[in-house]
Amino acid sequence: GDICEAVNVTWNSCSPLGSPPAPRAGHTAVKYQDQVIVIGGENLTGYLKCCHVLNLSTMTWSTNDIQPLPYPVANHATITLPPLTDSFYFRQPSLIVFGGNSCEGDGNRSDGGSVAEAITKGSTLQHTATPAAFCN
């Protein structure tokens, strides 16, 4: 892979360790602490529910630090949230996955019912959503 150094706008080659995600489209990638998390997407076999983590300190790919999504999804949006002490749901750092395509029927998951948060427990992310909220 390649990394662009934003200050000098130069590209540098890098070779992360571990197994990188398989080729895909329609995925999201977000920075969380010292990691980049790649979520879902689709390939020739269909929608994906896997999550891959690139540790930026060690430049190592892993799937051990995060559980797969409880549902396959592609063409979605993902954001990270800091802890919100006045919130019942988001007291820990969180990821929110919203919208996209998934499951059966028309597969459109752009409604408010397609929100999932993955709440951190120590250094691993635990999903709190159920597949029923995504696959009507």
Side-chain angles (χ1 to χ4, degrees), residues 61-130:
W61 283 106
S62 170
T63 56
N64 298 335
D65 294 337
I66 189 168
Q67 297 176 0
L69 293 169
Y71 53 90
V73 66
N75 306 309
H76 53 287
T78 305
I79 65 167
T80 58
L81 286 178
L84 303 173
T85 56
D86 58 345
S87 171
F88 178 77
Y89 291 105
F90 304 110
R91 291 181 186 261
Q92 301 292 324
S94 303
L95 298 176
I96 298 179
V97 175
F98 183 83
N101 303 104
S102 184
C103 306
E104 50 200 44
D106 71 2
N108 186 351
R109 300 291 128 209
S110 62
D111 59 356
S114 58
V115 174
E117 70 266 13
I119 299 178
T120 61
K121 304 287 186 191
S123 64
T124 60
L125 296 169
Q126 305 291 327
H127 300 287
T128 60
T130 61

Side-chain angles (χ1 to χ4, degrees), residues 39-63:
I39 300 168
E42 62 183 310
N43 61 20
L44 296 177
T45 63
Y47 296 124
L48 304 170
K49 65 179 186 176
C50 54
C51 299
H52 296 267
V53 178
L54 176 61
N55 183 309
L56 297 173
S57 298
T58 63
M59 291 305 289
T60 303
W61 283 106
S62 170
T63 56

